[in-house]
Amino acid sequence: MSGAAWLTRSIRLVLLVALPLGFALTVKHFLSLDNLYAIFQSFAFLGLLALGLSVTMIAGEFDLSVAAMATVAGLVTIKLVVLGPVAAVLCAVMVGTVIGIGNAVLLPWLQISSLVTTVGTMILLNGVGFWLAGGRVLSYDNFDVSDALDQTLLGIFSPRSLITILCFLLIAAFLQFTKLGRDIYASGGHRRAAIQSGARVGLALVVCFAISGAFAALAGSLISLSLATASATLDSTTLLQAAAAAIIGGVALGGGIGSPASVATGVLILTILNNGLGLLSASSTELLLVNGALLLIVVLLDGKAGQALMDLRRKTAQTKRRNVTWQG
Amino acid sequence: MSQGHKRQNYLRNLMLGTVAAGLLGIFGGAAPAWAAAKGSKVILLTVSQSCEYCALHERAFLKAAAADGINVEVKINNFDAGQQASQVDQAVAEHPDAIVVWPADASAIVPSLRRIKKAGIPLVVTNSMPNPKYQSLWNIYTGPDDLGNGQQAGEAMIQGLKAKGYTGNTDIFVILGVLGTPPQINRLDGFTGVLKAKAPMVKIDGSQPGNWDQTQATDAAAALFTQYGAHIKGVYAEADNMLAGVIVAAQRAGLDPKTLVLVGSNCSVEGVNAITAGTQYATVLQSPIDDGNYAAQAVADLLDGKSVPKTRFLPHPTITAENVAMCNAAIGR
């Protein structure tokens, strides 16, 4: 592990411990069970989006359509909830998976970056969203599903947050213990070398985008059931939040680096930070500023600034050693 | 009608509206178990600071609440229903004496209102009323009546067309707010309902979303002026800032806005300026200051155990060049 990588990893771990500790000491109610439940509720939505997105990032690609996919999946779910909530969620996830696969299939065919293809898909999905909503907010009156999904389990969890945690575990096992998982890392690290060494790059990309689409759809589907509502408009910062969480967690934009554990770390850091600042009455503008500053610091430390810092530290240590030797 | 007479009408409407809402609504009733307003802790869950109306509402609320000795904690989100649901979870965890919520989405807020009700925390909903069939979930609603706002705009359009001599078949178009949001839906329903009932000869040729944004409204109006041109005799924009875009688009299309019947809503600074300049015919008053004050008054009364009406709508008088000063006074400019 390089010096800079060690530095940023340490900073992430410190943040994950220091943030809750700092808020616990300064903010009343932060450690209450109800507030920890609120933290995991936020984790449930952002975590799923960031997890799916990070799998494409590990493979050296980027799926810009995840937020739009979540919106469309929410609308599909509420439209089809008459079939039963489970069937509606499955249909929405199926739509997400198919669109994700479509994104991957377009890549070799069009020979262009996934940023371009998925921005096209994102705009298309925005249009589909407005078409499905028909200028209205879709809602349904049965709140039993919402109550069931968001009921408190073990004090701080809900079925929705446990579903997200389960997805993290499944993807961690998939990436760690399967050949296809290793092919995904190889595709993101050195694509040409991966192809030459026989890695199934095409299949890896299809699986990555399918996971990304499916998880975005699952996130949108579950939040729409939780709110008993879906609309064609989603907060424009959702995609940025998911990408920020993945990057803060340590997933490299260049591919090949990152894991579900690191994504979970990034999501938790952002969620705890926003929760604590929320208890301190921070406005949405201040939250955005702090999130942006944190992301910038992590990116800088991941890059040349971190390397320069480590070089400076090494040189200072060498100079001190020389001085000790000379004085001796 | 004189300005003094209009002001009297405004005050009369205000009183009548309040009394009528009180008689029709279910009274909040006394709440002896709740904390008194003075020294209580109230959480205000509100929306974007980048919207002028929202910022004025929040400022008025805080000022009025401070005068009543209420300690307010504010949580703001950017019209994001999901984030607001998390903020409600967080607010419930803090066990405040009362919660005041401006729903980011009047439908998506319902499960959160259920959580607040379950936690036994007194609740005031402000600005956007969820479906009234869920009214058992909140103690008091204060804020605009968007349906009534749209109806007033419809009346103003009919009055303006008559004043400018446009009788018989008349063509107009409409610039809408963000599609699917309650004010967009209800104002349009109110406007079209009045036209249908009272002026069936007035035809809405088309509509485009301006998304509460002047620039987008300019583009949308430009497209509709190109499509329908000189046939258009009037435009209704669901907010004054969007109507300012309509005026720019009309001038670019070679039309004199003064010959058109242009009706907006909200009484924002763009509307006041345009009415004063004679380019806008009318607007419908919706004061953010009153909106914030009503919510603060409601939560104070609720905590003090006073009998308060379940629903208290803001007055929505029509504003034209004759009574535009009323607009200035109500918005505090």
Side-chain angles (χ1 to χ4, degrees):
Chain A
M1 189 186 295
S2 74
W6 175 84
L7 181 70
T8 49
R9 190 172 184 175
S10 307
I11 285 173
R12 282 173 188 117
L13 289 174
V14 168
L15 278 174
L16 195 58
V17 176
L19 276 175
L21 200 65
F23 284 130
L25 291 173
T26 55
V27 184
K28 201 180 162 189
H29 300 298
F30 179 79
L31 279 186
S32 70
L33 287 181
D34 286 341
N35 192 54
L36 294 177
Y37 166 83
I39 289 174
F40 278 103
Q41 286 297 90
S42 300
F43 177 85
F45 178 70
L46 187 62
L48 269 180
L49 272 190
L51 179 62
L53 179 65
S54 66
V55 177
T56 61
M57 288 166 71
I58 290 169
E61 302 291 343
F62 200 92
D63 187 356
L64 279 168
S65 66
V66 287
M69 186 65 251
T71 306
V72 168
L75 291 163
V76 169
T77 305
I78 299 298
K79 283 252 178 198
L80 298 180
V81 78
V82 286
L83 304 174
V86 176
V89 171
L90 287 176
C91 288
V93 171
M94 209 180 293
V95 169
T97 311
V98 169
I99 289 172
I101 291 171
N103 274 333
V105 170
L106 285 174
L107 289 180
W109 185 50
L110 294 175
Q111 293 286 309
I112 49 175
S113 156
S114 55
L115 283 172
V116 182
T117 52
T118 56
V119 82
T121 314
M122 177 181 78
I123 294 167
L124 187 76
L125 287 170
N126 282 336
V128 171
F130 280 109
W131 172 69
L132 282 173
R136 299 266 159 178
V137 175
L138 304 184
S139 58
Y140 76 111
D141 294 341
N142 183 352
F143 295 103
D144 293 345
V145 183
S146 170
D147 289 347
L149 265 179
D150 290 333
Q151 66 181 295
T152 312
L153 295 175
L154 305 170
I156 57 172
F157 298 111
S158 69
R160 196 153 63 87
S161 59
L162 287 178
I163 289 171
T164 300
I165 292 168
L166 180 68
C167 289
F168 268 91
L169 294 174
L170 286 173
I171 293 299
F174 168 68
L175 291 175
Q176 188 71 33
F177 301 118
T178 66
K179 185 171 182 307
L180 197 55
R182 289 191 290 276
D183 287 348
I184 288 173
Y185 277 103
S187 306
H190 301 280
R191 176 123 349 142
R192 189 169 291 176
I195 293 168
Q196 285 168 351
S197 62
R200 296 163 297 173
V201 173
L203 181 63
L205 292 183
V206 168
V207 170
C208 287
F209 278 94
I211 289 172
S212 178
F215 281 8
L218 184 60
S221 189
L222 293 179
I223 194 82
S224 69
L225 286 177
S226 168
L227 298 173
T229 303
S231 76
T233 51
L234 189 75
D235 183 24
S236 54
T237 59
T238 305
L239 171 66
L240 296 177
Q241 285 270 321
I247 294 166
I248 288 169
V251 180
L253 276 168
I257 297 171
S259 67
S262 57
V263 180
T265 305
V267 177
L268 277 174
I269 287 172
L270 271 188
T271 311
I272 291 169
L273 183 68
N274 291 341
N275 179 281
L277 290 174
L279 286 174
L280 292 169
S281 292
S283 68
S284 52
T285 316
E286 288 158 347
L287 291 180
L288 275 177
L289 281 172
V290 174
N291 287 351
L294 179 66
L295 180 64
L296 204 61
I297 290 166
V298 169
V299 169
L300 282 172
L301 289 176
D302 262 341
K304 289 189 175 172
Q307 196 58 54
L309 209 63
M310 291 308 294
D311 288 346
L312 186 70
R313 195 178 151 207
R314 199 166 45 244
K315 277 177 191 165
T316 313
Q318 280 172 356
T319 313
K320 270 186 188 167
R321 269 202 302 275
R322 267 194 222 114
N323 287 345
V324 169
T325 315
W326 182 76
Q327 279 167 0
Chain B
M1 193 181 282
S2 72
Q3 195 170 302
H5 193 70
K6 285 269 181 188
R7 189 182 294 274
Q8 275 181 348
N9 270 350
Y10 167 73
L11 291 171
R12 194 189 61 199
N13 286 343
L14 171 64
M15 285 188 289
L16 281 175
T18 308
V19 171
L23 289 173
L24 292 170
I26 302 161
F27 281 72
W34 296 336
K38 195 170 183 184
S40 63
K41 180 188 171 182
V42 169
I43 294 181
L44 169 67
L45 293 145
T46 185
V47 288
S48 176
Q49 284 172 319
S50 58
C51 127
E52 189 196 6
Y53 186 98
C54 317
L56 287 169
H57 175 286
E58 183 192 334
R59 218 174 295 156
F61 180 91
L62 292 176
K63 195 176 167 190
D68 284 325
I70 298 172
N71 302 307
V72 183
E73 183 185 317
V74 186
K75 295 184 191 295
I76 304 174
N77 75 86
N78 194 24
F79 286 103
D80 178 355
Q83 189 191 5
Q84 191 166 58
S86 299
Q87 289 177 331
V88 168
D89 289 336
Q90 201 178 48
V92 168
E94 292 181 58
H95 305 294
D97 295 310
I99 291 176
V100 179
V101 62
W102 174 333
D105 179 320
S107 298
I109 196 68
V110 176
S112 295
L113 300 185
R114 284 162 61 87
R115 275 197 282 284
I116 296 170
K117 170 100 177 170
K118 211 170 158 187
I121 300 169
L123 173 66
V124 173
V125 177
T126 179
N127 189 272
S128 297
M129 188 197 267
N131 193 321
K133 69 183 173 188
Y134 303 120
Q135 65 176 320
S136 64
L137 298 177
W138 62 85
N139 298 90
I140 303 171
Y141 166 80
T142 64
D145 168 17
D146 284 309
L147 194 73
N149 190 315
Q151 286 167 342
Q152 281 295 101
E155 298 280 2
M157 177 61 75
I158 295 168
Q159 184 188 318
L161 290 170
K162 198 189 270 181
K164 288 189 192 272
Y166 297 127
T167 50
N169 292 330
T170 312
D171 297 282
I172 64 168
F173 67 74
V174 179
I175 300 295
L176 304 166
V178 174
L179 296 180
T181 55
Q184 180 271 308
I185 295 167
N186 293 329
R187 287 182 186 185
L188 182 65
D189 285 350
F191 182 77
T192 51
V194 163
L195 289 190
K196 204 173 168 185
K198 296 187 176 176
M201 307 292 269
V202 179
K203 186 183 161 209
I204 299 174
D205 285 346
S207 64
Q208 290 264 340
N211 296 334
W212 312 119
D213 179 84
Q214 185 173 336
T215 312
Q216 291 183 50
T218 308
D219 294 342
L224 289 164
F225 276 126
T226 307
Q227 194 173 352
Y228 300 107
H231 295 297
I232 295 299
K233 297 291 182 266
V235 180
Y236 168 50
E238 290 185 316
D240 285 336
N241 66 327
M242 296 200 295
L243 196 69
V246 173
I247 293 169
V248 172
Q251 286 164 337
R252 285 180 189 163
L255 299 167
D256 181 2
K258 290 181 181 175
T259 65
L260 301 170
V261 181
L262 303 179
V263 178
S265 194
N266 288 1
C267 236
S268 60
V269 67
E270 298 92 341
V272 173
N273 291 343
I275 289 173
T276 309
T279 48
Q280 178 171 338
Y281 177 72
T283 186
V284 180
L285 176 63
Q286 181 182 313
S287 164
I289 309 289
D290 285 348
D291 204 355
N293 282 338
Y294 276 34
Q297 186 62 53
V299 77
D301 288 348
L302 186 63
L303 288 171
D304 281 338
K306 292 181 185 169
S307 285
V308 280
K310 179 91 178 176
T311 303
R312 193 178 177 202
F313 285 133
L314 297 175
H316 291 298
T318 302
I319 302 292
T320 61
E322 285 178 26
N323 62 343
V324 71
M326 189 195 288
C327 221
N328 283 331
I331 298 179
R333 292 193 179 106

